[in-house]
């Protein structure tokens, strides 16, 4: 098994969990927050998708799906167009609202398709390519891909936990 096959499997798992986290939820459930300082399912799924979109596009020198497929306009959020949710205050978290989970999964699926397209072309030597020199040590493509995978799995796990809390009430 090649490293890219492991990465593809990992990203496929994110997609499965994103769908499971939002499927069948109404807008009230998607936007529910256990307290003011916590995140909603809608925000968690939007954020993990924005981070994947931003970081994968940057690492592979692609355009972000958020912009090229008009998701930025479709979501209509009162946020800067390149916002990924990093460092959001509770007030900004509250701005991420959707009419249905379908919009979240459509956006994730489009980002996922772009991610898989890029991963299918990766050779082992590509994983060593430096994609971000702002860190010490500089970040390789392999490290960036695992970092996004890890971050996304953590956030989708948070969304699944919140879904469980909501459905147990």
């Amino acid at each position: 098994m090649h490293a890219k096959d492991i990465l593809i499997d990992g990203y496929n798992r994110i997609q499965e969990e994103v769908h499971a986290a939002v499927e069948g939820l109404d807008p009230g459930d998607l936007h529910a927050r256990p307290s003011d300082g916590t995140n909603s399912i809608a925000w968690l799924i939007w954020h993990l998708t924005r981070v994947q979109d931003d970081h994968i596009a940057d690492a592979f020198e692609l355009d972000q799906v958020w912009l090229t497929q008009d998701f930025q306009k479709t979501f209509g959020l009162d946020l800067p167009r390149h916002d990924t949710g990093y460092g959001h205050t509770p007030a900004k978290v509250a701005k991420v609202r959707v009419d249905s989970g379908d919009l979240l999964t459509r956006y994730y699926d489009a980002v996922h398709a772009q991610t898989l397209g890029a991963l299918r072309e990766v050779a082992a030597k590509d994983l060593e390519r430096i994609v971000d020199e702002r860190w010490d040590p500089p970040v390789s493509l392999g490290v960036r891909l695992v970092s996004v995978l890890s971050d996304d799995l953590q956030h989708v796990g948070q969304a699944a936990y919140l879904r469980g809390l909501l459905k147990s009430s």
Side-chain angles (χ1 to χ4, degrees):
M1 180 177 257
H2 295 281
K4 74 177 177 183
D5 297 322
I6 294 168
L7 291 165
I8 288 169
D9 182 70
Y11 280 91
N12 282 335
R13 291 174 191 228
I14 297 167
Q15 182 185 38
E16 291 170 14
E17 296 304 323
V18 163
H19 281 262
V22 303
E23 195 170 278
L25 295 181
D26 63 35
D29 288 336
L30 290 168
H31 303 127
R33 296 164 56 199
S35 68
D36 287 340
T38 60
N39 301 319
S40 67
I41 292 172
W43 185 89
L44 288 162
I45 301 301
W46 170 82
H47 168 65
L48 74 84
T49 308
R50 286 294 298 123
V51 168
Q52 184 175 329
D53 192 6
D54 175 76
H55 286 31
I56 298 297
D58 182 62
F60 288 97
E61 298 179 353
L62 302 167
D63 293 323
Q64 289 184 30
V65 170
W66 181 247
L67 302 173
T68 62
Q69 295 186 30
D70 289 331
F71 282 102
Q72 188 254 339
K73 290 179 185 170
T74 303
F75 272 76
L77 304 178
D78 183 24
L79 297 168
R81 61 183 273 162
H82 287 287
D83 197 332
T84 63
Y86 182 76
H88 267 191
T89 62
K92 284 190 176 181
V93 168
K95 288 183 175 188
V96 177
R97 300 189 66 80
V98 294
D99 292 334
S100 75
D102 180 61
L103 180 56
L104 293 164
T105 56
R106 280 191 295 122
Y107 177 41
Y108 185 82
D109 289 348
V111 170
H112 182 68
Q114 178 161 288
T115 299
L116 290 190
L119 289 175
R120 287 186 183 111
E121 301 301 318
V122 169
K125 65 180 176 13
D126 296 332
L127 297 173
E128 298 173 23
R129 179 173 56 87
I130 301 301
V131 297
D132 192 342
E133 295 193 13
R134 296 173 294 174
W135 300 91
D136 186 19
V139 178
S140 68
L141 176 60
V143 167
R144 177 58 47 88
L145 291 170
V146 170
S147 175
V148 171
L149 180 68
S150 172
D151 188 63
D152 281 4
L153 286 171
Q154 289 179 59
H155 286 312
V156 78
Q158 293 166 344
Y161 180 78
L162 181 51
R163 179 189 176 99
L165 285 176
L166 294 169
K167 292 303 177 184
S168 69
S169 315

